[in-house]
Amino acid sequence: MRPARALSNMLAVLSYADVVIVSVGMDVVLVERFAAALTRTPPLADRLFTEAERTTSSGNPRSPESLAARFAAKEAVAKALGAPVGLSWHDCEVVTDADGRPWLTVCGTVADAAAAAGIARWHLSLSHDGGIASAMVVAEGA
C-alpha cells in the first residue's frame, strides 16, 4: 500500500475511534392495534405526539403507519435509556428534515436522562410495512 493511502486509511479509522455506541433501542408496533387505540381514545394522540409530529410538512394529518413508527421511535429511545421512570412523551420528538429523513430531538426529561447516560447524539431509522411499524435508535456517546 502506498504511504499516502495508508495514512488516509489510518486517519479514517482514527476519526471513528472516538465514536462510542452507548446503547441501542428497538421497538415494533402493530399499526392496526395502534390506530384502534387512537380512535378509541382521541386525546391519546395529543398526549403522545407534538403538533409537528401529528402533521406532515404540508399540514396534512399523518397516516396511522407514520404515527405508529413515531411511537415506536419514542419507545426505542426509552429502551435505549434503560426505561427510566418519568420520561415525558413530548420531550422526545421525531422531526423530518427537508429530504424527508427522520431525526430525533430531545429536551427536558429525555435530554436529562441521555446526558446522565453519556449520550450526545441519536441516530434513527423508521419503517412500516405489512401492518407493522418499527424503529431503531442508536445512542452515540460524547
Side-chain angles (χ1 to χ4, degrees):
M1 184 178 292
R2 295 184 320 212
R5 184 166 189 150
L7 179 59
S8 174
N9 289 343
M10 186 170 58
L11 291 175
V13 169
L14 290 176
S15 69
Y16 289 104
D18 294 334
V19 175
V20 176
I21 303 303
V22 176
S23 62
V24 175
M26 183 177 175
D27 195 59
V28 296
V29 174
L30 293 173
V31 174
E32 186 176 328
R33 183 175 172 197
F34 187 74
L38 292 175
T39 300
R40 188 174 55 251
T41 313
L44 184 59
D46 291 339
R47 268 201 334 259
L48 296 176
F49 304 108
T50 65
E51 178 64 32
E53 288 176 305
R54 291 190 307 269
T55 57
T56 64
S57 59
S58 60
N60 295 317
R62 287 203 181 272
S63 69
E65 293 84 1
S66 180
L67 289 175
R70 281 162 170 69
F71 179 71
K74 292 171 185 255
E75 287 284 311
V77 166
K79 289 175 181 179
L81 290 171
V85 177
L87 296 180
S88 172
W89 293 111
H90 284 214
D91 288 350
C92 176
E93 184 178 30
V94 178
V95 297
T96 307
D97 68 14
D99 296 324
R101 183 175 177 189
W103 292 92
L104 285 172
T105 61
V106 298
C107 62
T109 59
V110 177
D112 292 344
I119 297 168
R121 185 172 179 205
W122 294 96
H123 304 272
L124 171 64
S125 179
L126 301 176
S127 186
H128 50 79
D129 187 37
I132 298 173
S134 63
M136 181 179 157
V137 299
V138 176
E140 184 182 316

